[in-house]
Each structure stands twice: as C-alpha cells, then as structure tokens.
C-alpha cells in the first residue's frame, strides 16, 4: 500500500530521490501482464424469476462492482456494450471469469451471464486473423489415454508429446497444443471420459492463425420447458425418457428454460409442469409406478461449459438456471435465422 503517490501501477519500481536519485538502485524490469483471451457478458437478470433472492439487482450496482474489481484484478478488462444493462468482461481464461462470477454471486448479486467466447486479434504485420492457443498437459491412467487423444483430435488439437510418467503409477502424460476455442467445454467431457481420473494443466502459449471452420463442441440439444409453472413428478416421468434432467419436482420454471440434456441433436420442448388428470375412471396402468431419476447437479463451471451461443445462464445467490437467450428468439419462441 502506497500513500501520496499517483499513477503507481503493477511493474513499476519505486526508488529514493535523495541527491537527485544519484544513490537510487537500478529499476527492475517491468512485469508483463498477460492479455485477456476469453470474453463473457455479465448483465442484469431479466428472467421471469428474477429479483427473488439477490440484494444487488440493478445495472448500476453490477457496473460499480465490476469496475471496482479492476483495482485489484489487473488482468481483467471491463467494457460497456451497446446494451445499457450488459458489460463485456474479458479475462485470462474461463476459470478467471467464473471465479469473479462466483464471488459476486456469494456477495448477493443476481446476474445474467453469456457464453464464453475467445478474443481474436489481427496481426499488424500480416493482417491475418489470429486466435489464442494453449499448451495443455494431461496426466491420465494408460487405459484412458485413447479417449483423451480422441477428444483432443476432434477439437483440432496438435499432439506435441506423449509418454509415461516417471512416478510409480502407470500414468500417461499427453501434451497438446490446443486453440482456446477447443478448450471451452472440454474439461467436463474429459472428466466424464476418464471417470474423473484426468489431471489437466493448461497455460497460454501464443496467438496463431485462426483455424478455419467451427470446432465441435456440444453434440446434443437441450430439453426446454414448454410453459411457466411448477415442475411436477408426473411431468418428470414423461420428460426423463427424452434425456437427462437438471431439475426436480417442486422447482419453478418458465418457458424456454433448459431443464435437461436431449438425447439427440436439436432442442425439444417438454411439458415438465404437466399434472395428472383427476377422474373417477379406473386406469389400466394405475398399479404401475415409474421411478424418477435423480437430476444432474450442475455447478457454475459445468453450466458455463454447457451453454451454447444462443443460451444464457441466470446466476442467483442459491441457484443456477440456464435458458435460451430471449434476444435471439422470435415471437413464436423459435430461434431467429
């Protein structure tokens, strides 16, 4: 902490000015702060269930908190967007930004978070559009090394090295040069493919020429709520045959909220609020009971990795809800072309 000095920044060297600085030590080389590589939008929560839990809800409160973070988080960048209630926040990776979101959520903020996107740059000398690349090292048991290599190859990774760990355990060490685009959403898939045994380390490498085409990310669609209401057990019995669910009976939902993972590509609307008709007629299936599968517990990191470009994440002090972005949906509730 310095007092009485203006414009002191990270990397500056403070020396004595006695005798006009004749006795001052040589300044140390400045510290280079890594530039942001990933950007997300953070804004006001505008879902139908907004304002029920948080203490800080308005765009002014969110703006003040984000710009206050710049005083101690030197690698973070906050920019205003065309929308008055959304801000573009850039950091050194997805983890860097999710730590900030989790901190704000615990402080009582409610916010709407957009999907992570990489920051492209144009090479000043060649004029070529470049994207960030990361050097990734994975330590995994030998029997899962094939699954790890398949995941990297489908995301345009370039194998750099492969071998065995020097330790006593039979662990493979795999090194890949990966575009940051390919790293988005990769961790959860890799932990699933290796049953949680993979140890992943990634550091920024450099900016290189952008890889042409899209990188495969999510191969399955989402299950969307058909209408607003309270989720019922009867509705879940029918919906669980369509995929894996994120919600349980008694939760509140709204139209186009993501309630699960569809087992096929493409989104599907399901009526999870459907109630059983109460009549005095006997049913042939009255004695048949169907068990409800436990929902998947989605953490903040898992939600950020899951959402696609046309989806958003609603963060409150106690809940995470994913939904289709209403700004990208037409009046009939379908995605705009």
């Amino acid at each position: 902490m310095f007092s009485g000095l203006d414009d002191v920044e990270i990397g500056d060297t403070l020396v004595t000015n006695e005798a006009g600085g004749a006795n001052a030590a040589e300044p140390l080389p400045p510290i280079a702060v890594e530039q942001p590589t990933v950007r997300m939008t953070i804004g006001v929560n505008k879902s139908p269930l907004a304002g029920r839990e948080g203490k800080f809800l308005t765009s002014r409160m969110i703006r003040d908190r984000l710009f206050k973070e710049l005083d101690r988080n030197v690698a973070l960048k906050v920019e205003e967007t065309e929308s008055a209630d959304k801000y573009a926040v850039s950091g050194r990776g997805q983890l860097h930004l999710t730590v900030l979101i989790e901190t704000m959520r615990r402080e009582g903020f409610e916010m709407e978070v957009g999907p992570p996107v990489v920051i492209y740059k144009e090479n000043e000398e060649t004029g070529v559009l470049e994207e960030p690349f990361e050097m990734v090292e994975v330590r995994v048991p030998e029997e899962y090394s094939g699954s790890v290599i398949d995941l990297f190859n489908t995301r345009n990774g370039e194998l750099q090295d492969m071998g065995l760990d020097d330790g006593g355990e039979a662990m493979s060490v795999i090194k890949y040069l990966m575009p940051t685009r390919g790293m988005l959403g990769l961790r959860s898939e890799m932990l699933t493919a290796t049953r949680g045994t993979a140890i992943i380390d990634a550091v920024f490498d450099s900016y290189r020429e952008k890889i042409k085409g899209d990188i495969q990310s999510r191969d399955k669609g989402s299950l969307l709520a058909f209408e607003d209401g309270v989720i019922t057990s009867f509705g879940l019995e029918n919906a669980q045959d369509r995929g894996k669910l994120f919600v349980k009976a008694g939760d509140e939902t709204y139209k186009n909220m993501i309630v699960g993972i569809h087992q096929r590509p493409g989104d599907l609307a399901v009526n999870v609020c459907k109630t059983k008709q109460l009549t005095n007629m006997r049913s042939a299936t009255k004695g048949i009971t169907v068990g409800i599968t436990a929902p998947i517990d989605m953490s903040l990191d898992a939600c950020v990795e899951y959402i696609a470009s046309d989806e958003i994440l609603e963060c409150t002090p106690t809940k995470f809800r994913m939904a289709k972005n209403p700004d990208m949906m037409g009046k009939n509730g379908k995605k705009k072309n």
Side-chain angles (χ1 to χ4, degrees), residues 5-51:
L5 298 176
D6 297 329
D7 299 329
V8 177
E9 298 181 355
I10 297 295
D12 292 345
T13 302
L14 300 181
V15 297
T16 180
N17 61 352
E18 293 180 358
N23 301 326
E26 290 295 325
L28 298 174
I31 300 173
V33 179
E34 292 183 13
Q35 294 300 310
T37 58
V38 177
R39 179 185 294 117
M40 298 174 67
T41 59
I42 299 178
V44 176
N45 183 15
K46 294 181 288 186
S47 82
L49 303 179

Side-chain angles (χ1 to χ4, degrees), residues 28 49 52 66 139 153 164 207 240 255 269 283 296 314:
L28 298 174
L49 303 179
R52 300 189 179 185
L66 290 176
R139 297 175 183 270
N153 289 339
L164 295 177
Y207 267 85
Q240 68 183 4
K255 187 176 182 179
S283 172
I296 301 174
E314 174 190 354

Side-chain angles (χ1 to χ4, degrees), residues 195-228:
R195 298 188 179 182
T197 58
I199 302 174
I200 310 168
D201 293 316
V203 294
F204 173 74
D205 182 75
S206 60
Y207 267 85
R208 303 180 179 225
E209 183 177 353
K210 179 186 175 184
I211 297 176
K212 296 181 179 180
D214 295 329
I215 295 178
Q216 177 185 349
S217 55
R218 202 175 74 197
D219 58 350
K220 295 181 180 179
S222 299
L223 296 177
L224 308 178
F226 179 74
E227 60 182 355
D228 301 357

Side-chain angles (χ1 to χ4, degrees), residues 38-42 66 76-78 87-91 97 100:
V38 177
R39 179 185 294 117
M40 298 174 67
T41 59
I42 299 178
L66 290 176
L76 197 72
K77 286 188 177 180
V78 179
Y87 303 93
V89 184
S90 306
L97 298 178
L100 171 62

Side-chain angles (χ1 to χ4, degrees), residues 301-320:
D301 287 328
C303 290
V304 170
E305 290 186 353
Y306 180 83
I307 54 178
S309 58
D310 62 337
E311 297 168 350
I312 54 174
L313 171 63
E314 174 190 354
C315 295
T316 72
T318 61
K319 292 182 178 64
F320 300 114

Side-chain angles (χ1 to χ4, degrees), residues 140-169:
V140 66
E142 287 187 60
E143 60 265 29
Y144 299 122
S145 59
S147 301
V148 172
I149 292 174
D150 288 341
L151 282 174
F152 279 132
N153 289 339
T154 56
R155 292 171 175 261
N156 293 354
E158 181 180 333
L159 181 63
Q160 301 294 306
D161 190 17
M162 181 177 178
L164 295 177
D165 193 2
D166 296 334
E169 300 180 1

